[in-house]
């Protein structure tokens, strides 16, 4: 995973210390793992989603195509044999990356739902509390999940080298 994270970081066009940078990716992984202990989501896909989903952003604000680009990047990495995942896992990763920022997006797959909830719960880093209607899993809708995300943002070092 470390090699892969380096490849992802090296190609990232925005600042790694920015709102959609490394700290956010690490938070999404942690929140995703926290949720997964209740939802039963696939931890490998959570980690890959966390580090990939915003990795092709070219704008911190308006970038509607970044999900699609990250899905293509995931395919590319898989073609280069850099992701050791099954076909089913690849499909989950591609779908979760491609549609994570689309409005009215839906999935019945608990791993994909958990990825999206983890991303959304980390909105607390921007001072935004996600509304329950935009969350999928019951665990993410619990107050303790928001508190977990807030705590993570409080305790995290401000600068990343
Ligand atoms: Fe994100």
């Amino acid at each position: 995973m470390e090699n892969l994270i380096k490849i992802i970081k090296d190609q990232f066009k925005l600042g790694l210390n920015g709102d959609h940078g490394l700290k956010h990716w690490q938070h999404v992984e942690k929140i995703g793992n926290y949720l997964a202990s209740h939802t039963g989501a696939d931890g490998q896909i959570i980690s890959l989603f966390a580090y990939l989903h915003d990795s092709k952003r070219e704008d911190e604000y308006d970038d509607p195509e970044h999900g699609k680009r990250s899905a293509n990047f995931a395919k590319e990495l898989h073609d280069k044999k850099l992701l050791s995942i099954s076909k089913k896992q690849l499909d989950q990763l591609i779908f979760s990356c491609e549609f994570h920022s689309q409005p009215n997006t839906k999935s019945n797959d608990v791993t994909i739902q958990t990825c999206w909830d983890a991303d959304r719960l980390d909105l607390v880093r921007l001072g935004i509390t996600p509304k329950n209607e935009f969350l999928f899993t019951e665990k993410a809708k619990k107050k303790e999940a928001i508190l977990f995300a807030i705590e993570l943002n409080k305790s995290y070092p401000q600068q990343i080298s």
Side-chain angles (χ1 to χ4, degrees):
M1 191 73 189
E2 245 167 66
N3 267 353
L4 187 63
I5 293 172
K6 186 175 180 328
I7 291 168
I8 297 169
K9 278 162 68 178
D10 286 350
Q11 63 75 51
F12 189 49
K13 292 189 176 159
L14 301 176
L16 280 171
N17 287 315
D19 287 344
H20 295 94
L22 186 60
K23 191 162 75 168
H24 171 55
W25 307 346
Q26 291 167 333
H27 285 174
V28 172
E29 183 180 41
K30 286 196 167 124
I31 298 168
N33 284 331
Y34 166 83
L35 297 175
S37 62
H38 298 263
T39 67
D42 181 337
Q44 215 183 339
I45 296 307
I46 285 173
S47 295
L48 290 170
F49 170 84
Y51 286 95
L52 283 168
H53 77 285
D54 278 335
S55 70
K56 286 287 181 183
R57 265 191 177 269
E58 294 171 2
D59 189 303
E60 293 283 7
Y61 306 98
D62 189 26
D63 190 347
E65 294 298 315
H66 79 279
K68 177 82 190 147
R69 287 198 299 273
S70 72
N72 289 337
F73 187 33
K75 269 185 234 165
E76 204 182 293
L77 293 168
H78 186 260
D79 288 346
K80 289 182 181 163
K81 314 266 182 257
L82 291 165
L83 311 180
S84 323
I85 53 175
S86 69
K87 173 77 176 77
K88 182 192 169 200
Q89 287 176 306
L90 179 65
D91 289 344
Q92 287 172 315
L93 180 61
I94 286 172
F95 192 90
S96 59
C97 284
E98 181 163 354
F99 296 105
H100 81 273
S101 58
Q102 300 288 317
N104 305 318
T105 194
K106 274 194 181 64
S107 170
N108 292 324
D109 183 312
V110 77
T111 291
I112 295 170
Q113 291 178 337
T114 303
C115 288
W116 290 344
D117 281 355
D119 185 30
R120 212 142 272 173
L121 284 172
D122 199 42
L123 280 172
V124 299
R125 77 194 185 283
L126 307 172
I128 299 167
T129 305
K131 291 194 177 112
N132 275 0
E133 64 201 85
F134 298 121
L135 296 167
F136 296 93
T137 66
E138 287 312 307
K139 183 67 185 173
K141 291 176 189 171
K142 295 219 156 83
K143 197 169 179 197
E144 65 208 48
I146 294 274
L147 293 176
F148 179 88
I150 289 172
E151 194 55 40
L152 202 58
N153 275 284
K154 252 193 233 161
S155 61
Y156 222 82
Q158 291 301 302
Q159 283 298 316
I160 295 158
S161 54

